Amino acid sequence: MAYEVVTAGFRTDPRAWLAAACVKRAKEGRWYRTPRAVLREIEGYTDPLEGSRTQAIRRAQRRGTYEKIPYKRVVRGYNARSRLLYLESGGLLSVDVLGPDERRLLFRRTTTGLEPLALWLSPNGMPKKFEGWEDTFTAANERIQRVWAQAGGEGLVPLWCRPHMCRHFVSA
């Protein structure tokens, strides 16, 4: 969730909290660190002028996509210490109890309209489902295979990746 990623002004690998509802078979959440190189990439992706996340949001806002979503929750604030979200409806919500599907329904109101709190978005501007990463990586691996073959490469492609491999780059 965008509130849970520290990107500006980091000096060391900042700690972030992973809620128990997002950890497989866990009763408690856990802390993890995100390397600065990853945070720099996230800053590029979320850049308000040139980032692809911003572009996807603007397209979805023009289509009125976010306004049409039933059961969405609009967040007006976040307390990082207590990990509580303040809702426009006046309620409070702990991020520790929100699983991945519930987090996809969290939005904030900006000067340009509603915006998902989810960090990773599909090209249509909707929060990416965690299982959707398989398709993303399959398509990327297929593109690499085509380029490899066009360049005269033979046999197995020396570069490929699966989503599970990436978790080792950001775990503490």
Side-chain angles (χ1 to χ4, degrees):
M1 196 165 61
Y3 279 130
E4 295 171 300
V5 177
V6 176
T7 55
F10 51 85
R11 290 195 181 106
T12 61
D13 295 347
R15 289 184 344 149
W17 181 257
L18 184 60
C22 296
V23 181
K24 211 185 298 184
R25 296 182 295 276
K27 292 181 180 161
E28 294 182 16
R30 65 176 174 85
W31 290 100
Y32 67 96
R33 293 192 183 275
T34 305
R36 286 176 290 183
V38 172
L39 293 175
R40 281 190 292 274
E41 293 297 325
I42 291 172
E43 280 186 321
Y45 170 68
T46 60
D47 183 278
L49 297 177
E50 299 178 2
S52 57
R53 181 181 190 276
T54 302
Q55 294 169 5
I57 289 169
R58 298 299 174 257
R59 285 190 302 269
Q61 287 172 333
R62 283 192 299 273
R63 290 189 308 268
T65 302
Y66 303 138
E67 298 294 339
K68 298 173 191 171
I69 298 172
Y71 311 112
K72 67 181 166 281
R73 292 179 171 162
V74 181
V75 175
R76 64 175 174 81
Y78 176 62
N79 183 321
R81 187 176 301 253
S82 64
R83 294 191 294 271
L84 287 175
L85 297 171
Y86 300 93
L87 303 177
E88 261 189 8
S89 63
L92 292 173
L93 187 60
S94 170
V95 296
D96 287 328
V97 300
L98 295 173
D101 289 333
E102 295 162 309
R103 286 166 174 258
R104 294 178 63 242
L105 295 172
L106 296 174
F107 291 80
R108 66 179 169 191
R109 198 168 301 282
T110 69
T111 56
T112 58
L114 289 178
E115 178 180 304
L117 285 184
L119 179 62
W120 303 111
L121 306 178
S122 296
N124 67 2
M126 291 301 293
K128 195 142 181 78
K129 294 181 180 179
F130 73 90
E131 62 268 11
W133 286 105
E134 291 292 337
D135 295 339
T136 301
F137 278 72
T138 297
N141 287 330
E142 288 170 357
R143 284 193 307 272
I144 292 169
Q145 177 68 50
R146 280 193 304 276
V147 170
W148 176 252
Q150 291 168 356
E154 297 179 19
L156 295 174
V157 178
L159 177 66
W160 58 274
C161 190
R162 294 186 317 264
H164 186 76
M165 295 165 72
C166 295
R167 73 185 266 282
H168 300 290
F169 295 118
V170 295
S171 295

